Amino acid sequence: FHKTKNPKEYINLRSSSKLFHRALHQPPPLWTTFPCSNHATLQSLVDRLEKLRGDEESSGNVPSVLFIEEGEHRGGGRYVTMKKPLSMYGAGCGLTTLVGVGLKIKGNKSDGIVEIQDLTIKGGERGGLFADGGMKVNMRGCTIEECGGFGVNAYRADITCDDLQVIGCGSSGVWASIQCTI
């Protein structure tokens, strides 16, 4: 129990017994999973969540956590772009792999935090993670491999990395420019 960091494990623990239900006082966040029968691509699901969060009436009923199931998931473009805060969790580094696509974080610094944990980004055409002057990014337990450009590119952004490996990318492993903190 104490070694568990992934929210999906907390949700499963909370529902497995009354003891854990009482001990874990905080209710679990609203969450969804990918693959999803209603969305062929990860970008499609992220776009739908962001559209729903933009509607003030329903924004409290929209998942803020996205669990990406074990396996290789291909992208539909160069990047999956996120403009609203979202926590994205894989099943484990090496178990969940985004293939041929990177993650681009936009939005405003005041919007919130994007969390990315326990996944591998492999073979992104341009780069693995591009934080473009937007929200703060916390990345934990991830690997970025064989991307065409930078592994991590921070442009006017704040990124916190814990247990991150960048392997064999075409340009620098990590690149920071113009008022960045990594």
Side-chain angles (χ1 to χ4, degrees), residues 5-7 68 88-98 103 114-122 129 137-145 152 159-167:
K5 292 183 181 178
N6 189 318
I68 303 175
M88 184 181 290
Y89 297 94
C93 187
L95 298 175
T96 299
T97 305
L98 302 180
L103 299 176
V114 171
E115 292 187 18
I116 303 161
Q117 186 170 323
D118 296 329
L119 55 83
T120 299
I121 298 170
K122 185 173 184 174
L129 174 71
V137 178
N138 292 336
M139 192 170 214
R140 284 185 234 61
C142 294
T143 299
I144 299 174
E145 300 178 352
V152 175
I159 300 177
T160 301
C161 300
D162 182 25
D163 191 21
L164 171 69
Q165 290 186 330
V166 180
I167 304 166

Side-chain angles (χ1 to χ4, degrees), residues 4-5 12-13 61 70-71 74 100-101 103 135 157 162 173 182:
T4 297
K5 292 183 181 178
N12 291 337
L13 278 173
N61 298 323
E70 188 173 327
R74 302 205 175 271
V101 65
L103 299 176
M135 296 172 282
D162 182 25
I182 293 185

Side-chain angles (χ1 to χ4, degrees), residues 79-93:
Y79 289 104
V80 171
T81 303
M82 290 182 269
K83 300 174 199 151
K84 304 259 185 202
L86 182 66
S87 295
M88 184 181 290
Y89 297 94
C93 187

Side-chain angles (χ1 to χ4, degrees), residues 77-79 100-104 121-130 144 146-153 169-172:
R78 292 180 179 160
Y79 289 104
V101 65
L103 299 176
K104 182 185 271 188
I121 298 170
K122 185 173 184 174
E125 183 180 325
R126 290 206 172 163
L129 174 71
F130 179 31
I144 299 174
E146 302 168 13
C147 292
F150 301 105
V152 175
N153 184 347
C169 292
S171 296
S172 298

Side-chain angles (χ1 to χ4, degrees), residues 18-87:
K18 288 183 181 181
L19 174 66
F20 283 123
H21 183 78
R22 284 188 222 120
L24 300 170
H25 296 288
Q26 191 174 26
L30 292 176
W31 55 276
T32 189
T33 60
F34 182 81
C36 175
S37 61
N38 295 335
H39 300 278
T41 66
L42 182 57
Q43 184 66 64
S44 171
L45 177 56
V46 168
D47 288 345
R48 181 64 180 151
L49 292 172
E50 288 179 351
K51 183 177 179 186
L52 290 171
R53 290 185 98 189
D55 180 11
E56 291 185 29
E57 289 181 24
S58 66
S59 65
N61 298 323
V62 178
S64 61
V65 176
L66 172 59
F67 296 112
I68 303 175
E69 299 296 328
E70 188 173 327
E72 287 191 356
H73 307 284
R74 302 205 175 271
R78 292 180 179 160
Y79 289 104
V80 171
T81 303
M82 290 182 269
K83 300 174 199 151
K84 304 259 185 202
L86 182 66
S87 295

